[in-house]
């Protein structure tokens, strides 16, 4: 097939090179694109909001602004602190997670990490229903996109963590017991940590439905080992 | 010796061809993967149906401009759907439910930026004292850079 007569060595060499170059280019590209095709999750590390505080001098402290400061928030924060302090699963945050009622204006400022927004018109908003609440979170900075880089503004290195706004169904809140209110705050704080619902054992992330851990809700009022393990695993 | 020389002329170009194909194949694969990713996001947005009376949490990936919508369905399983996020709020081609979710995410995020800008401007102008958090005050120079770049 190949004429290796002296005067055609170079052209045969080139032929073989070009054939192998394009063959491998096609092969490697095809395999790589199949292997990585379904990774639609961005490579942005979803560090939680404790990451920012860990880069500054107030490790483990979260500052909250609320449109409706109330005793249930205070009670919820106390339970979060007590159930995360000195536990084996929280190796990065041995002093626990300290939630602080920073302002009651409900307005974002330079230091707030979470906003609790009690919406009186919750159920009438599009895509909303009769649920107790939900959480919207976002990454606090970017390295290349046009969206604002809050990492830089805070003198923190990228990536610096997440920020979140919790929407509370105010009409439903008004008819909920004090225990139920505390439970909701602690549960939504778990979502702010990037935890999803957990239904196979006791967890603050049980969602209260009958198919989820037998409908457990106010019977689980503190962070459980699985919750603490989840929070700790979020951080590099 | 001649046999070796013949093999030499066959193997060397194959090896060089493989090695030089590695670098461009990375870019080709990335382009193919990205186009699959964009298509999947667009398809998700077109077909997205929002469950009723279920708390839907969202996460805005500001780096890759996508929104992950999460909820737990009736059988207790977690669902995660990624939708494309347009910073100009034009969610063309998305279902009505997807537009509602994305619009809410945008409103929440934009109000965060707006209120933060107002706060930073007040701090820079000295209209309110610098807050202290964990024994630290914000660096005014950092805030000035942020305001000049991102605040209208």
């Amino acid at each position: 097939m190949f004429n290796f007569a002296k005067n055609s060595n170079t052209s045969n060499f080139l032929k073989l090179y070009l054939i192998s170059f394009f063959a491998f280019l096609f092969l490697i590209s095809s395999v790589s694109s199949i292997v990585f095709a379904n990774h639609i999750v961005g490579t942005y590390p979803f560090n939680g909001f404790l990451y920012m505080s860990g880069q500054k001098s107030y490790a483990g402290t979260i500052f909250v602004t609320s449109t409706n400061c109330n005793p249930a928030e205070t009670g919820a924060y106390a339970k979060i602190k007590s159930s995360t302090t000195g536990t084996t699963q929280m190796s990065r945050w041995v002093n626990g997670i300290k939630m602080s009622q920073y302002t009651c204006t409900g307005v974002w400022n330079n230091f707030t990490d979470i906003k609790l927004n009690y919406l009186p018109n919750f159920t009438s908003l599009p895509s909303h229903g009769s649920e107790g609440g939900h959480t919207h979170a976002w990454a606090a900075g970017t390295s290349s996109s046009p969206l604002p880089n809050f990492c830089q503004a805070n003198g923190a290195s990228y990536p610096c963590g997440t920020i979140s706004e919790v929407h509370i169904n105010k009409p439903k809140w008004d008819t909920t017991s004090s225990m139920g209110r505390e439970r909701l705050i602690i549960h939504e704080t778990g979502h702010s940590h990037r935890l999803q619902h957990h239904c196979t054992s006791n967890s603050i992330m049980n969602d209260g439905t009958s198919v989820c851990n037998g409908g457990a809700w106010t019977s689980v009022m503190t962070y459980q080992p699985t919750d603490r393990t989840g929070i700790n695993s979020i951080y590099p | 010796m001649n046999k070796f020389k013949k093999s030499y002329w066959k193997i060397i170009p194959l090896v060089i061809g493989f090695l030089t194909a590695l670098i461009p194949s990375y870019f080709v694969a990335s382009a193919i993967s990205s186009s699959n990713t964009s298509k999947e996001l667009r398809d998700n947005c077109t077909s997205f149906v929002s469950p009723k009376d279920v708390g839907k949490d969202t996460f805005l990936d500001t780096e890759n401009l996508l929104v992950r919508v999460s909820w737990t369905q009736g059988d207790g399983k977690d669902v995660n759907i990624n939708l494309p996020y347009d910073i100009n709020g034009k969610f063309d081609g998305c279902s009505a439910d997807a537009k509602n979710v994305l619009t809410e995410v945008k409103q929440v995020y934009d109000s965060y930026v707006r209120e933060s800008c107002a706060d930073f401007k007040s701090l820079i102008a000295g209209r309110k004292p610098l807050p202290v958090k964990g024994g630290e005050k914000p660096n005014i120079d950092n805030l000035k850079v942020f305001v000049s770049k991102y605040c209208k």
Side-chain angles (χ1 to χ4, degrees), chain A residues 5-69:
Chain A
K6 236 183 183 174
N7 60 358
S8 64
N9 270 356
T10 306
S11 66
N12 286 330
F13 187 96
L14 274 173
K15 275 183 203 171
L16 270 177
Y17 167 75
L18 288 170
I19 290 168
S20 77
F21 174 81
F22 287 108
F24 282 118
L25 179 64
F26 173 78
L27 186 65
I28 298 170
S29 304
S30 305
V31 171
S32 301
S33 64
I34 290 168
V35 167
F36 297 112
N38 290 321
H39 287 208
I40 59 174
V41 176
T43 55
Y44 184 91
F46 294 148
N47 296 325
F49 52 30
L50 290 172
Y51 200 62
M52 177 81 84
S53 69
Q55 293 187 69
K56 309 290 276 181
S57 63
Y58 43 87
T61 302
I62 304 301
F63 291 79
V64 185
T65 183
S66 172
T67 61
N68 180 41
C69 286

Side-chain angles (χ1 to χ4, degrees), chain A residues 21-123:
Chain A
F21 174 81
F22 287 108
F24 282 118
L25 179 64
F26 173 78
L27 186 65
I28 298 170
S29 304
S30 305
V31 171
S32 301
S33 64
I34 290 168
V35 167
F36 297 112
N38 290 321
H39 287 208
I40 59 174
V41 176
T43 55
Y44 184 91
F46 294 148
N47 296 325
F49 52 30
L50 290 172
Y51 200 62
M52 177 81 84
S53 69
Q55 293 187 69
K56 309 290 276 181
S57 63
Y58 43 87
T61 302
I62 304 301
F63 291 79
V64 185
T65 183
S66 172
T67 61
N68 180 41
C69 286
N70 62 83
E73 291 177 8
T74 315
Y77 299 165
K79 287 183 171 65
I80 290 171
K81 182 73 162 70
S82 67
S83 62
T84 54
T85 300
T87 63
T88 53
Q89 297 91 4
M90 298 290 290
S91 54
R92 284 180 62 93
W93 319 101
V94 291
N95 295 321
I97 298 171
K98 183 183 170 190
M99 308 284 294
S100 172
Q101 271 184 332
Y102 190 57
T103 80
C104 296
T105 61
V107 176
W108 288 106
N109 64 30
N110 184 56
F111 278 159
T112 44
D113 305 293
I114 297 181
K115 180 177 183 176
L116 294 182
N117 195 353
Y118 295 75
L119 300 176
N121 59 342
F122 186 95
T123 50

Side-chain angles (χ1 to χ4, degrees), chain A residues 13 17 20 41-42 46 57 63 108 110-111 127-128 130 135-138 141 143-145 158 191 196-197 211, chain B residues 9 13 17 20 53 56-60 62-64 68 72 74 78 80 100 104 112 115 119-120 133-134 136:
Chain A
F13 187 96
Y17 167 75
S20 77
V41 176
F46 294 148
S57 63
F63 291 79
W108 288 106
N110 184 56
F111 278 159
S127 296
H128 288 55
S130 60
T135 302
H136 297 288
W138 54 90
S143 66
S144 56
S145 89
Y158 170 84
H191 280 307
Q196 293 196 284
H197 289 153
V211 296
Chain B
W9 281 105
T20 52
D53 298 328
K56 293 172 288 292
D57 302 308
T58 68
F59 180 80
L60 168 59
T62 51
E63 184 74 8
N64 295 287
R68 165 165 276 192
T72 305
D78 289 325
N80 294 290
N100 287 335
E104 183 181 9
Y112 164 69
E115 290 170 19
D119 180 60
F120 292 178
K133 188 177 186 185
E136 288 189 29

Side-chain angles (χ1 to χ4, degrees), chain B residues 95-114:
Chain B
S95 68
D97 282 354
K99 283 183 184 174
N100 287 335
V101 171
L102 291 168
T103 301
E104 183 181 9
V105 168
K106 190 173 188 314
Q107 284 170 348
V108 168
Y109 181 76
D110 286 351
S111 72
Y112 164 69
V113 174
R114 201 167 47 244

